[in-house]
Amino acid sequence: MSVPHGIVILDFGSQYTQLIARRIRERDVFSAVLPCTASLDEVRRHQPAGIILSGGPSSVYDPKSPVCDPKVLELGLPVLGICYGLQWITHTLGGKVEPASHKEYGPAMLFVQNGSDIFRGLPKAIRVWNSHGDHVAALPPGFKLVGTTDNAISAAEDPERRIYALEFHPEVRHTEHGEQMLGNFVFEICKAKPNWSGGAFIAESTAAIRRQVGDARAICALSGGVDSAVAAMLVHRAIGDRLTNVFVDTGLLRKNEYEQTVELLHDRLGLNVDGVRAGPRFLSRLTGITDPEEKRRRIGHEFIDVFADEARKLGGINYLVQGTLYPDVIESVSVKGPSAVIKTHHNVGGLPPDLPFKLIEPLRDLFKDEVRRIGREMGMPEEMLTKHPFPGPGLAVRLLGEITEERLATLREADAIVVEEIRRAGLYEKTWQAFAVLLPVRSVGVMGDDRSYGNTVAIRVVDSEDAMTADWSRLPYEVLARMSARIGNEVRGVSRVVYDVSSKPPSTIEWE
């Protein structure tokens, strides 16, 4: 999908690249992410109003560091370099980049000077978010300094060549006024016009799916969550009854989730749903496995085996639809640039190399709240759209250590209590995720007059907007007290309940 006069983002491997694209789309301007190695002809085909060079984990003075065609700076289009993008511009145009004696990770104060269209209408002191171990020691000829932190050159520009550069990340929520900085670049400097909407995405996506699939048939891997349901609705609009949706009971679902999901997807959304009870085969693959990456790999492979079995029963299936989102992609594999792998998602890095299907992933470049927006435009019920994210590997990555039927039963009951109490407190729609984790830790307790030695359950509730960053939810003490009391009294074998107060970063939302 491409819309003229949007913004092209050249990706050098940053975890936040698609977040830049998302911030631009939030302002109804189309944005496309291309690898930094994209040719000038490919960039021109998008007819962009401007270009953004992303951050990345490399050092520009490393001979193996990623580069783009230097002529991208000569197209006559406004260019904004962010973090590595600033360093690449500096290095390419004759400035100097070197290792920083004071590395900057996290918050810092930016002091704006000399005036700049990027900072138009903003205060002179702004809290920003950094993530760099190198810094600019000398600017290229023609550039002027427009912002510093205590330790680094943080903003510079060459207005005559329409090149602008920031050392910090305006795309993350931790940067104050970051959206306005990007807005100033997009609208004031690039003169871009609003040209993107959810309706346009739906129309373009369904047309692209029809072109991709032709007269073939497809199955969709339904998880019961928002992402796969929205993907299924998009593909259903495109190819109708040639789509069969497969919902697999892996034995790793939450309490009563199989029955509730089939009723919602089939009876209320009108999708063709093929429910498959496959718990024993998944659990047999996980016997004795404690390593989280191995759990994900085995679950991903078993999913494909189940879908292949169902495809053989149906006959003539060429495509597999998945609700993969951008946070799944960027944590699992390097897609556009040399980004780091954080963990494998079963529907991305967990797929086997001999996949017997061609993939359809219409939501691959979107974030969760963008997917919810698309679902609302297609008329899907709020009950589905407000469901908390649930990992594809299910309870396997919330049950640390070996997976057994007994431990799964303990986790399901504890998890159900957490969700019930969040709903009871009116906080379900106000939090991003709420769930329980069963730890491989036993703890001494007292039940009645006897000593007990039971399981430990961690409660995890986070606030987020896009899963790229998250903060632990400051729940009222009375809500936590009810959760703890109910889990201790109602879930057999649990003697201790703890609350997780870790943010992302440095932690991830899920424990495994």
Side-chain angles (χ1 to χ4, degrees):
M1 175 180 172
S2 180
V3 178
H5 312 303
I7 302 297
V8 163
I9 301 160
L10 296 181
D11 179 25
F12 288 93
S14 171
Q15 299 288 335
Y16 301 134
T17 296
Q18 194 65 30
L19 193 53
I20 304 170
R22 175 263 179 78
R23 295 289 178 241
I24 294 168
R25 291 196 299 262
E26 285 177 342
R27 292 174 172 264
D28 297 328
V29 174
F30 175 76
S31 58
V33 178
L34 302 179
C36 60
T37 53
S39 67
L40 289 180
D41 286 341
E42 188 174 359
V43 173
R44 288 191 188 102
R45 274 198 294 272
H46 286 272
Q47 303 177 53
I51 296 170
I52 295 178
L53 308 181
S54 84
S58 303
S59 294
V60 292
Y61 45 79
D62 185 335
K64 296 181 180 180
S65 63
V67 299
C68 67
D69 191 327
K71 291 183 179 179
V72 76
L73 302 176
E74 302 172 9
L75 293 175
L77 296 170
V79 175
L80 172 64
I82 296 175
C83 196
Y84 182 92
L86 172 147
Q87 296 168 12
W88 180 83
I89 290 170
T90 300
H91 184 74
T92 301
L93 296 181
K96 184 177 181 180
V97 178
E98 61 186 21
S101 57
H102 297 284
K103 302 180 189 302
E104 291 189 322
Y105 295 101
M109 288 303 299
L110 169 72
F111 302 99
V112 179
Q113 52 191 279
N114 296 327
S116 169
D117 286 339
I118 291 285
F119 301 113
R120 181 179 297 179
L122 301 183
K124 297 297 184 182
I126 303 170
R127 184 170 294 277
V128 298
W129 187 264
N130 283 305
S131 183
H132 62 96
D134 296 332
H135 71 176
V136 173
L139 290 171
F143 276 73
K144 68 174 183 177
L145 178 67
V146 293
T148 62
T149 62
D150 287 339
N151 299 313
I153 292 173
S154 199
E157 62 182 40
D158 183 343
E160 289 190 11
R161 285 189 283 181
R162 307 174 79 189
I163 302 174
Y164 305 82
L166 306 173
E167 184 66 90
F168 58 91
H169 289 274
E171 68 273 25
V172 303
R173 292 296 188 200
H174 302 292
T175 292
E176 295 176 342
H177 310 294
E179 290 181 40
Q180 190 170 341
M181 295 174 200
L182 290 174
N184 284 342
F185 176 74
V186 170
F187 294 115
E188 301 298 329
I189 296 172
C190 298
K191 306 298 182 185
K193 304 295 182 184
N195 58 4
W196 189 90
S197 67
F201 176 86
I202 293 167
E204 289 283 347
S205 295
T206 52
I209 292 165
R210 289 191 193 102
R211 290 192 298 269
Q212 180 183 2
V213 175
D215 296 328
R217 298 174 63 196
I219 58 175
C220 177
L222 283 177
S223 69
V226 178
D227 313 330
S228 62
V230 172
M233 289 291 288
L234 274 172
V235 178
H236 180 75
R237 285 195 175 197
I239 66 173
D241 292 340
R242 286 183 288 127
L243 173 69
T244 299
N245 299 282
V246 179
F247 180 51
V248 181
D249 180 1
T250 62
L252 303 166
L253 298 177
R254 289 169 290 197
K255 187 175 181 180
N256 300 325
E257 185 159 22
Y258 181 82
E259 296 78 10
Q260 293 169 357
T261 300
V262 170
E263 186 274 333
L264 179 60
L265 296 175
H266 181 269
D267 298 348
R268 295 183 56 187
L269 292 184
L271 294 175
N272 177 21
V273 179
D274 180 8
V276 180
R277 296 279 195 177
R281 62 188 287 181
F282 277 86
L283 296 183
S284 67
R285 289 289 300 272
L286 295 169
T287 300
I289 303 302
T290 59
D291 178 72
E293 283 296 284
E294 183 63 17
K295 287 179 184 178
R296 290 176 179 274
R297 190 190 68 81
R298 290 185 177 222
I299 290 167
H301 285 213
E302 194 62 30
F303 263 116
I304 295 303
D305 288 346
V306 171
F307 297 139
D309 290 345
E310 294 304 303
R312 280 191 289 270
K313 294 176 186 176
L314 295 167
I317 301 295
N318 304 100
Y319 291 90
L320 172 64
V321 181
Q322 294 194 128
T324 307
L325 302 191
Y326 185 74
D328 302 333
V329 173
I330 200 62
E331 287 190 342
S332 297
V333 292
S334 177
V335 183
K336 306 290 187 183
S339 55
V341 174
I342 296 171
K343 63 184 178 184
T344 298
H345 287 259
H346 82 286
N347 56 340
V348 187
L351 295 177
D354 55 345
L355 186 69
F357 307 101
K358 296 176 182 177
L359 286 178
I360 301 174
E361 296 176 310
L363 310 176
R364 189 179 177 91
D365 288 333
L366 301 186
F367 290 87
K368 179 77 71 176
D369 58 322
E370 292 182 304
V371 172
R372 286 175 171 143
R373 173 182 174 184
I374 299 302
R376 288 188 180 97
E377 296 219 17
M378 291 193 295
M380 295 176 67
E382 284 297 308
E383 179 183 350
M384 168 60 72
L385 298 177
T386 57
K387 285 185 73 173
H388 283 188
F390 185 63
L395 297 180
V397 292
R398 295 178 178 176
L399 192 161
L400 280 60
E402 185 176 1
I403 296 170
T404 66
E405 289 277 15
E406 181 181 7
R407 298 188 75 217
L408 280 169
T410 299
L411 179 55
R412 278 196 191 93
E413 293 302 320
D415 182 75
I417 289 171
V418 170
V419 175
E420 285 171 11
E421 290 301 330
I422 286 288
R423 288 188 180 279
R424 177 182 172 186
L427 297 172
Y428 188 84
E429 285 78 19
K430 298 177 182 179
T431 53
W432 179 263
Q433 257 172 296
F435 57 91
V437 180
L438 184 60
L439 305 183
V441 175
R442 298 180 74 82
S443 176
V444 173
V446 177
M447 292 189 178
D449 293 325
D450 292 330
R451 176 185 185 274
S452 65
Y453 193 55
N455 293 304
T456 301
V457 167
I459 297 171
R460 178 74 158 147
V461 187
V462 298
D463 300 322
S464 184
E465 185 180 74
D466 47 40
M468 297 297 286
T469 59
D471 197 10
W472 59 279
S473 301
R474 274 64 170 176
L475 295 184
Y477 289 146
E478 58 269 23
V479 176
L480 288 172
R482 284 199 301 269
M483 289 179 182
S484 178
R486 286 192 59 193
I487 291 172
N489 291 329
E490 299 175 27
V491 182
R492 184 178 178 182
V494 175
S495 62
R496 191 171 299 273
V497 178
V498 299
Y499 189 53
D500 183 349
V501 294
S502 306
S503 296
K504 176 185 179 179
S507 302
T508 55
I509 295 175
E510 298 289 345
W511 276 51
E512 291 191 334

